[in-house]
Amino acid sequence: MTARRDGWVMAGMLIAATSAAVASFTGLRGLALLSGWPERLAILLPVTIDAYAMTSARVWLAGLSPQRAIRFARANATGAITTSILGNAIYHAAAAGLLTVSWPVVVVVGAVPAAVLGLTAHLHAVRTGDEPTPQPPASVPTPGRTDDDLLTAARAADAEHRATHNGRPITRDALRAALRISGPKATALRRTLAAEREEAKTN
């Protein structure tokens, strides 16, 4: 059964989210200023961290990406939220005179945009990529396919590869991926294909 939305709960969540966003934004912007950022650019620190937290959380909670992307997004959403919490804590401690913003803090704060850019690019790559296909061990025969079946399939894959790669023979790894076979089996089939080509040249 689908739970009904409670207006009071939704209102409370909206108020809490707005309050947290404003407080976090103010703290992280203040930390950027204390770390030597120009005033006109200081807003980029909270924007960068909070935007990446939301992006990672979206990929994580939507559950529509490959599992490795979801795991990576979960780790980075947690890391971004933790970074926001620590940044706010450092700012308030410095504002209260309990902490001096020294060079390690300045270096870390300055590295945030570049680090987030790299993490975002990697998240996009793993999100749009396919899950790797497990390959059967060399000692285990491929069920349902005889050697003749595999050779026929290898010939077809080689012909398709040649048609799209200017006549170049299919590589071992491409054959392995196309037929979902082990590396040694792909090597053996590729040798057979090469022998067939040589025989065809001599006839």
Side-chain angles (χ1 to χ4, degrees):
M1 182 177 67
T2 303
R4 291 186 306 154
R5 290 188 176 182
D6 189 318
W8 287 104
V9 173
M10 297 299 295
M13 289 177 59
L14 179 60
I15 293 172
T18 302
S19 176
V22 171
S24 175
F25 185 93
T26 302
L28 292 175
R29 180 180 178 277
L31 178 62
L33 291 172
L34 291 176
S35 299
W37 288 35
E39 186 171 357
R40 68 182 185 280
L41 299 180
I43 63 171
L44 295 180
L45 181 63
V47 168
T48 299
I49 295 175
D50 292 345
Y52 187 61
M54 289 187 293
T55 301
S56 300
R58 169 64 180 172
V59 174
W60 167 26
L61 299 176
L64 301 177
S65 303
Q67 284 301 310
R68 60 175 178 165
I70 292 175
R71 290 192 297 269
F72 184 76
R74 179 174 62 238
N76 281 272
T78 303
I81 293 170
T82 302
T83 299
S84 181
I85 293 172
L86 289 175
N88 276 276
I90 292 172
Y91 167 72
H92 289 294
L98 302 176
L99 178 69
T100 301
V101 176
S102 55
W103 70 265
V105 174
V106 174
V107 170
V108 171
V109 171
V112 167
V116 169
L117 175 60
L119 291 169
T120 303
H122 186 68
L123 177 61
H124 175 71
V126 296
R127 179 177 179 269
T128 56
D130 296 327
E131 289 280 19
T133 303
Q135 302 296 334
S139 59
V140 178
T142 305
R145 291 191 290 182
T146 65
D147 288 343
D148 289 339
D149 293 334
L150 289 175
L151 182 56
T152 300
R155 290 172 181 148
D158 182 53
E160 182 178 353
H161 188 275
R162 285 169 172 274
T164 56
H165 292 80
N166 298 321
R168 291 196 297 271
I170 192 169
T171 63
R172 189 202 74 147
D173 289 338
L175 185 61
R176 179 172 175 255
L179 303 187
R180 297 185 180 182
I181 55 178
S182 65
K185 190 67 176 179
T187 300
L189 285 170
R190 192 166 181 270
R191 287 174 180 167
T192 301
L193 293 176
E196 290 181 346
R197 288 194 298 269
E198 290 299 322
E199 184 178 353
K201 290 179 182 178
T202 59
N203 292 337

